[in-house]
């Protein structure tokens, strides 16, 4: 009897859990807002506008489009890189629009939208270091953000590298300038933006030519929330079909920006990745 009673309790718990689990989209509509986790320190994806003090950027525009599709208010919550997936799993945010690399390891933890950006990770160095390419980092110290794919990727490329991590990419970038490492590892688009921020000092720095990896970025969705994934992917497909996706890309990455991309080498079309 006791075993049957416990089994009944477990079954009931799963039923309640399943009902709640299936209602995330309904809950978002009920509360009238979509809580989007962003970094807020990763220009041009999500950063603070110095004039308005509001969060703006590529990821922010995607979050706004999804909230509009659902018919709710977008609310943006800044997260540390290492806190992104735990915050989503714990229900503190509804989706992640936070420069999140989609890889097989993370698929065991969360679900992903269609790919929203494709970039490569590279290394920014001071020219005075004598570092000419990635292999020259052997036995040297590099800096990067904690909790991202940057650290494992540079360790894979250069097993003897010494990696020091920081809470934000901008702290790591500052550490490079302060001489706390010979290289700074990040997504290429972010490195280009940081390189531009150096102004006249950028003559003393260089981005190494070799990619550490190719990174497909996507929006993060809580595991098993098929209704939320469906509306997110539908929004992205509509943005692609209408041409709005291309407008958003060139707004933040195009020839008139510091990044100066002249082409958009991807589309919102698949949630599949290699590897």
């Amino acid at each position: 009897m006791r075993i049957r009673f416990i089994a009944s309790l477990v079954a009931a718990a799963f039923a309640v859990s399943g009902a709640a689990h299936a209602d995330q989209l309904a809950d978002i509509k009920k509360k009238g807002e979509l809580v989007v986790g962003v970094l807020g320190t990763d220009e041009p994806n999500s950063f603070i506008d110095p004039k308005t003090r509001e969060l703006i950027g590529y990821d922010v525009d995607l979050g706004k489009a999804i909230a509009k599709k659902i018919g709710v208010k977008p609310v943006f919550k800044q997260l540390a890189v290492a806190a992104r997936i735990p915050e989503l799993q714990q229900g503190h945010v509804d989706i992640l629009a936070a420069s999140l690399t989609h890889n097989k390891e993370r698929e065991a933890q969360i679900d992903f939208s269609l790919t929203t950006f494709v970039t490569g990770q590279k290394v920014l160095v001071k020219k005075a270091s004598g570092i000419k390419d990635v292999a020259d980092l052997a036995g040297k110290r590099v800096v990067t953000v904690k909790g991202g794919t940057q650290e494992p990727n540079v360790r894979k490329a250069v097993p003897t590298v010494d990696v020091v991590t920081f809470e934000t990419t901008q702290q790591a970038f500052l550490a490079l300038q302060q001489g706390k490492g010979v290289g700074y590892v990040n997504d290429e688009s972010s490195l280009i933006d940081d390189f531009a921020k150096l102004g006249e000092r950028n003559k003393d720095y260089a981005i190494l030519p070799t990619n550490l990896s190719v990174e497909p970025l996507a929006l993060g969705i809580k595991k098993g929330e098929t209704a939320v994934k469906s509306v997110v992917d539908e929004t992205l497909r509509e943005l692609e079909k209408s041409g709005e996706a291309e407008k958003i890309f060139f707004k933040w990455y195009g020839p008139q920006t510091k990044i100066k991309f002249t082409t958009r080498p991807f589309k919102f079309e698949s949630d599949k990745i290699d590897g």
Side-chain angles (χ1 to χ4, degrees):
M1 284 292 292
R2 181 175 174 77
I3 293 174
R4 270 193 305 222
F5 176 69
I6 292 172
S8 298
L9 286 179
V10 171
F14 271 115
V16 171
S17 173
H21 178 77
D23 285 339
Q24 189 194 12
L25 183 59
D27 289 344
I28 291 168
K29 291 179 178 179
K30 185 176 180 180
K31 68 184 177 182
E33 62 184 34
L34 177 74
V35 182
V36 183
V38 297
L39 294 182
T41 56
D42 185 29
E43 188 174 351
N45 289 325
S46 60
F47 61 105
I48 303 292
D49 185 321
K51 294 180 180 178
T52 66
R53 306 307 301 166
E54 293 182 354
L55 280 162
I56 58 173
Y58 181 80
D59 283 343
V60 173
D61 282 356
L62 296 183
K64 287 179 178 178
I66 294 162
K68 183 178 180 181
K69 173 73 174 177
I70 298 172
V72 296
K73 175 185 175 183
V75 175
F76 296 96
K77 180 178 180 180
Q78 279 189 257
L79 306 174
V81 171
R84 292 173 299 180
I85 290 176
E87 288 280 305
L88 179 67
Q89 291 174 321
Q90 293 163 20
H92 298 156
V93 297
D94 297 314
I95 63 171
L96 294 173
S99 305
L100 186 70
T101 297
H102 178 181
N103 59 30
K104 292 296 184 182
E105 181 183 1
R106 287 174 173 168
E107 283 182 353
Q109 301 173 290
I110 64 172
D111 290 334
F112 289 89
S113 72
L114 306 179
T115 296
T116 57
F117 199 87
V118 178
T119 187
Q121 286 180 349
K122 288 193 171 183
V123 186
L124 179 68
V125 299
K126 284 186 176 180
K127 289 180 179 177
S129 68
I131 305 294
K132 301 297 183 184
D133 211 343
V134 170
D136 298 333
L137 296 171
K140 303 290 197 306
R141 175 173 292 179
V142 300
V143 296
T144 193
V145 70
K146 180 166 61 177
T149 56
Q150 293 89 340
E151 180 179 2
N153 285 338
V154 72
R155 289 190 186 280
K156 182 178 180 181
V158 190
T160 61
V161 73
D162 178 20
V163 184
V164 177
T165 61
F166 295 82
E167 287 296 326
T168 70
T169 55
Q170 290 309 293
Q171 287 173 353
F173 178 43
L174 180 61
L176 172 71
Q177 297 170 69
Q178 294 171 337
K180 295 179 180 178
V182 299
Y184 160 50
V185 184
N186 206 353
D187 294 344
E188 182 180 18
S189 55
S190 296
L191 285 183
I192 293 170
D193 184 68
D194 287 335
F195 184 78
K197 288 176 182 174
L198 290 166
E200 292 183 357
R201 291 184 296 140
N202 66 16
K203 68 182 185 302
D204 299 323
Y205 293 80
I207 297 175
L208 300 183
T210 302
N211 273 3
L212 297 176
S213 65
V214 175
E215 302 286 307
L217 308 185
L219 306 180
I221 300 158
K222 198 171 183 182
K223 196 72 178 171
E225 292 294 350
T226 54
V228 175
K229 176 170 167 53
S230 178
V231 75
V232 168
D233 286 350
E234 186 178 349
T235 304
L236 295 174
R237 289 192 178 96
E238 289 176 357
L239 291 175
E240 191 64 60
K241 186 176 180 180
S242 68
E244 190 63 26
E246 188 153 313
K247 290 180 183 177
I248 294 172
F249 174 83
F250 282 111
K251 173 183 176 182
W252 298 108
Y253 285 94
Q256 305 306 313
T257 71
K258 289 179 283 187
I259 312 296
K260 300 188 184 304
F261 284 179
T262 56
T263 60
R264 177 174 176 249
F266 61 88
K267 291 184 177 181
F268 299 163
E269 59 186 355
S270 175
D271 60 1
K272 301 296 185 285
I273 58 167
D274 296 329

